[in-house]
Amino acid sequence: DPPHDHIRSWLGIPLIVQEKVIGLLAIDSSNPNDFSEREIEIASEFAKQVASTLENARILQETQTRAVTDVLTGVFNRRGLMELGEVEFTRALALNRPFSAIMLDLDHFKIINDTHGHAAGDVCLHEFAKRCKSCIREIDYIGRYGGEELIILLPDAHMKASMNIAERLRIAISKSPILVDNKRINITASLGVACKDESTYSLDVLIARADQAMYIAKHNGRNRVAISS
């Protein structure tokens, strides 16, 4: 028999929200008779409920995403990163797996703002995050910690792998100038790397160590990677 040979009648009702079609409710029947007016009325009412439910789910998802996303850079905000990071760090502790963090700070960001304006600074921050996202693994987490600082959390990454990723990040960040209003702005970053060890009992401690290493990188001349001892 040909596919769908059992269908004798079919009813399609658009799912509409605020005068916009978001889907289609399709009902078929093996009864060759047309759908009755009462059946069409019931189906239409059901379609309204389905459309409303789908729209509410979409709004909820968008709200939840906005709650953990930094609007400017498109990466996790501090809250979102820490919530996910705590889960991953706890798993690493329980399974005795490696876990690392990289703290990144955009060098001379105040000078960029003072020289080119805050709008240009925003463009640089967005591109900074974009270049970082292009270098990390799918299992890694990146978030804006505050101001011009980003954090990358690296599950199952030991020191050598973390250093390789950090160096790849450093090169990608500084590889080419950013064009803003026909002006070329060069950016670099200082990076600090810390790996979980027997004295690292919390994610906050790991991040604090990465932060200290990042300041060592700045003290040593910027545009470089430093390791937490």
Side-chain angles (χ1 to χ4, degrees):
D1 293 337
H4 311 305
D5 189 55
H6 67 285
I7 298 176
R8 294 294 185 270
S9 55
W10 181 88
L11 176 65
I13 303 174
L15 304 178
I16 300 174
V17 175
Q18 297 180 351
E19 300 182 354
K20 181 180 179 181
V21 177
I22 65 170
L24 180 72
L25 175 65
I27 305 172
D28 59 61
S29 173
S30 59
N31 189 336
N33 297 324
D34 294 334
F35 289 95
S36 68
E37 290 187 8
R38 178 55 181 164
E39 289 172 332
I40 294 174
E41 181 181 335
I42 293 174
S44 297
E45 188 61 34
F46 179 65
K48 292 179 183 178
Q49 295 176 8
V50 171
S52 177
T53 300
L54 291 174
E55 179 66 5
N56 289 339
R58 183 191 66 79
I59 292 173
L60 177 61
Q61 180 63 46
E62 285 188 357
T63 301
Q64 291 173 336
T65 299
R66 285 197 300 268
V68 297
T69 302
D70 178 66
V71 177
L72 176 60
T73 60
V75 300
F76 286 114
N77 58 23
R78 186 167 179 167
R79 170 191 165 188
L81 183 76
M82 295 303 289
E83 287 179 354
L84 291 170
E86 289 286 357
V87 173
E88 289 293 337
F89 186 82
T90 300
R91 183 186 71 86
L93 281 179
L95 299 178
N96 194 28
R97 299 292 299 169
F99 193 96
S100 301
I102 302 175
M103 177 75 81
L104 310 90
D105 186 84
L106 201 57
D107 294 329
H108 302 300
F109 185 63
K110 184 178 185 303
I111 295 177
I112 293 175
N113 277 332
D114 292 345
T115 304
H116 302 284
H118 288 276
D122 288 348
V123 173
C124 289
L125 279 176
H126 178 81
E127 182 63 21
F128 175 38
K130 181 180 177 181
R131 292 181 182 185
C132 289
K133 286 171 66 177
S134 70
C135 292
I136 61 177
R137 306 167 302 172
E138 289 187 4
I139 64 171
D140 298 331
Y141 299 92
I142 179 172
R144 187 180 181 189
Y145 198 64
E148 64 273 23
E149 291 182 336
L150 299 179
I151 293 181
I152 299 173
L153 301 179
L154 309 168
D156 291 320
H158 49 66
M159 177 58 77
K160 183 177 180 180
S162 302
M163 286 297 297
N164 287 339
I165 293 172
E167 184 61 21
R168 188 163 69 241
L169 285 161
R170 187 193 67 79
I171 294 171
I173 291 164
S174 60
K175 67 179 179 180
S176 59
I178 300 171
L179 188 63
V180 182
D181 295 330
N182 294 320
K183 297 178 181 178
R184 295 179 179 273
I185 303 176
N186 292 298
I187 63 170
T188 63
S190 301
L191 300 87
V193 181
C195 295
K196 179 178 71 68
D197 58 21
E198 62 277 359
S199 64
T200 311
Y201 53 85
S202 71
L203 181 61
D204 286 337
V205 170
L206 182 69
I207 289 175
R209 289 176 53 213
D211 188 50
Q212 290 172 352
M214 182 268 292
Y215 277 102
I216 292 173
K218 282 194 172 295
H219 179 74
N220 289 337
R222 296 183 169 85
N223 189 24
R224 64 190 64 222
V225 177
I227 308 171
S228 172
S229 56

